[in-house]
Amino acid sequence: MNHAEIVVKVNELMHRGFEIPEDKLTPTATLFDELGLDSLDAVDMLVHLEENLGIKVDAQKLVAVRTLQDIYDMVESLAPQSQAQGQLSH
Amino acid sequence: MKVLITGMGAVSSLGVGVGTMFKSLLEDTSAIRHYPEWAQYQGLGTHLGAPVPEYDISRVPRAARRTMSRMSEMAVVATGEALQMADLNIGNHVNSPRVLICMGSTTGSPSTMETYFKKLFERGGPEGQLGTNFFKVMNHSVAANVASALGFRGPVMSPSSACATSAQAMIMGWELIQSGMYDIVIAGGADELHYTSAAVFDIVQAASRGYNDRPQQASRPFDQARDGLVVSEGAGVVILESEKSAQNRGARSYAEFLGGSYFCDGTHMSQSNASAMCEVMNTSLDRARIQASAVEYINAHATGTIQGDAEEAKAIGEVFGNRVPVSSLKGHFGHSLAACGAIEAISSIKMMEEGVLIPTRNLSSVDPSCSQVLHVQEKRSTRPKVVLSNNFAFGGMNTSLLLSLP
């Protein structure tokens, strides 16, 4: 997956999984303050990322994640070992 | 102290909303359908269920909705209808210690439990589990999710007594208002349709297996050809309110909750027991300060099982003789488990309001073992002033409650 594909996949997941309007999905948007997620959502987001993008995320890494760009970067750092697996399955 | 019902809400297999539901009852509709896909489950003989039609939960914010299984969603919709009918703005009571939410379910969400354990066993541990799943399977999921959806910060309790749950919740609400502890109790119950719920009854030979090819004829309370119950789903909620509170608000009353009781028979987990049923009906009459002769209609629990229906008919015959009209609504709705107590109480109130008794659907030929009572086999125009509604449950839980027009 290249960066553009990751952005599309993550944004699709955030829109469908958490009902965030697409126009709010900008790289600098903060997950908790601007996109309205909380710690419970973060756990589910982790599961969705793993199942839909075929990656394995160390939960500790989420602590440093603040913005959507941080998610893109985290996925990009993990994606080379795996492949995207299609549709959101939550 | 009089306890009134100032609001009612129903999400049922016969429709969403009290009006739609009662219209379907008047039209003698059966909600039961065939589930051919259940044939894949080894050993499951019943392939029948009565699902709730589509409902709209979209107005509830995602943050509240994410922890809701189907049963909680239905409870939220039913509670919304009840509050609206009661003209009760829960926002005004959001921190009130005088308002109680009292509702439950048989178990947590069976569909979520299936998903959770399937993944757990596949992966050999909790890896990959959604954080929101637990809130769908915890025992007080329905009550907690309703409170969350309303932004309610007052007292919440969650009785659970399987098929008697919402009846017990209402009776507890009546007791607590009578005691002076609360002014308003939002009481009810909900359950969702799932093949594992049907399996519970199928395993103990209490589910219908002989009508898989004729779903509309399945669930035949008191009938000679009955062969068991059909599992349904739904939510029923009532607003119980002290007379004083209703008067202060200028609220309309739809019925008076005269009283009731919930007893465990203490003898058997699954076999019905006529003497225990008699005891709960007699105690309920005493607590409501009503003579048996004042009761003009009985809404039976009768689910269409061989033994349960016969025991209930015997018990009703012993307490009331054969002069009081009796019908069961399980032939229309199927058996909505934790929801049926409230749904049937609401249906009984509508019968009083509309001046009509709904007959037992599929009761073509009364079984001799059920012949002790006066069965309603055709729609009857009469306006009962006092009705008694029974609900019985696994675990030996027996409930009986009495209602009248205000």
Side-chain angles (χ1 to χ4, degrees), chain A residues 17-20 35-41 43-45 47-48 50-51 56 90, chain B residues 58 60-63 65-67 119 123 126-133 135-136:
Chain A
F18 300 97
E19 302 176 16
I20 300 169
L35 299 184
L37 304 187
D38 62 15
S39 58
L40 193 54
D41 289 322
V43 175
D44 286 6
M45 184 178 68
V47 173
H48 292 322
E50 290 185 344
E51 295 195 344
K56 178 73 188 150
H90 87 286
Chain B
S58 63
V60 176
R62 182 196 69 85
R65 210 173 347 106
R66 65 185 166 169
T67 53
K119 192 182 261 188
R123 300 200 179 182
E127 180 187 81
Q129 294 290 351
L130 294 173
T132 40
N133 271 348
F135 306 101
K136 300 177 183 177

Side-chain angles (χ1 to χ4, degrees), chain B residues 66-402:
Chain B
R66 65 185 166 169
T67 53
M68 291 180 194
S69 66
R70 190 171 165 80
M71 64 172 74
S72 292
E73 290 178 350
M74 293 188 287
V76 167
V77 173
T79 303
E81 183 188 14
L83 290 171
Q84 189 173 26
M85 189 184 280
D87 197 18
L88 188 59
N89 181 359
I90 202 68
N92 295 338
H93 297 274
V94 87
N95 293 311
S96 173
R98 304 287 303 167
V99 180
L100 170 74
I101 291 177
C102 180
M103 55 179 76
S105 56
T106 300
T107 63
S109 163
S111 57
T112 309
M113 279 193 257
E114 183 188 26
T115 306
Y116 180 90
F117 285 111
K118 189 165 182 276
K119 192 182 261 188
L120 187 84
F121 296 141
E122 278 172 2
R123 300 200 179 182
E127 180 187 81
Q129 294 290 351
L130 294 173
T132 40
N133 271 348
F134 173 72
F135 306 101
K136 300 177 183 177
V137 301
M138 61 189 188
N139 288 351
H140 66 310
S141 180
V142 166
N145 274 296
V146 167
S148 173
L150 294 173
F152 180 74
R153 298 173 68 179
V156 170
M157 67 162 71
S158 185
S160 179
S161 52
C163 310
T165 296
S166 57
Q168 184 176 19
M170 291 187 292
I171 298 164
M172 288 172 75
W174 169 76
E175 288 174 333
L176 291 165
I177 292 172
Q178 284 267 324
S179 76
M181 191 173 286
Y182 299 109
D183 297 325
I184 296 170
V185 176
I186 302 166
D191 258 319
E192 65 193 39
L193 180 61
H194 192 254
Y195 76 91
T196 54
S197 304
V200 166
F201 298 97
D202 199 64
I203 288 164
V204 296
Q205 312 286 317
S208 174
R209 292 177 165 190
Y211 294 89
N212 288 340
D213 59 342
R214 294 163 287 162
Q216 303 283 299
Q217 294 174 42
S219 189
R220 312 178 63 86
F222 303 121
D223 190 74
Q224 216 161 9
R226 71 191 185 282
D227 74 337
L229 61 80
V230 174
V231 171
S232 178
E233 63 178 351
V237 174
V238 300
I239 309 297
L240 295 163
E241 187 163 1
S242 70
E243 185 181 34
K244 189 178 167 192
S245 171
Q247 280 173 348
N248 288 344
R249 293 195 309 113
R252 179 182 164 186
S253 166
Y254 296 90
E256 182 178 348
F257 197 100
L258 299 171
S261 55
Y262 43 91
F263 282 4
C264 185
D265 73 16
T267 55
H268 202 284
M269 280 288 168
S270 64
Q271 284 180 13
S272 309
N273 178 320
S275 70
M277 292 170 173
C278 287
E279 204 172 314
V280 81
M281 284 189 278
N282 280 320
T283 305
S284 299
L285 289 166
D286 289 345
R287 297 187 88 192
R289 296 176 186 169
I290 288 283
Q291 299 290 321
S293 58
V295 174
E296 296 180 339
Y297 167 69
I298 294 170
N299 188 262
H301 181 63
T303 60
T305 63
I306 302 292
Q307 201 225 358
D309 290 11
E311 290 294 303
E312 186 173 7
K314 185 178 167 192
I316 292 171
E318 282 183 26
V319 176
F320 295 96
N322 65 354
R323 60 157 198 93
V324 186
V326 175
S327 69
S328 161
L329 304 179
K330 301 295 196 299
H332 301 83
F333 287 112
H335 185 357
S336 57
L337 312 178
C340 74
I343 284 175
E344 290 165 8
I346 292 167
S347 300
S348 298
I349 291 168
K350 291 300 291 179
M351 287 189 227
M352 288 191 284
E353 261 183 13
E354 303 289 334
V356 60
L357 299 185
I358 303 293
T360 302
R361 197 177 194 282
N362 291 326
L363 178 52
S364 310
S365 176
V366 175
D367 189 84
S369 70
C370 304
S371 62
Q372 302 91 328
V373 302
L374 178 60
H375 290 285
V376 183
Q377 291 180 267
E378 289 179 350
K379 207 184 298 177
R380 188 185 290 195
S381 293
T382 181
R383 192 181 303 278
K385 290 185 281 298
V386 177
V387 306
L388 178 142
S389 179
N390 285 332
N391 285 104
F392 309 126
F394 278 166
M397 291 299 296
N398 298 319
T399 66
S400 195
L401 58 88
L402 287 125

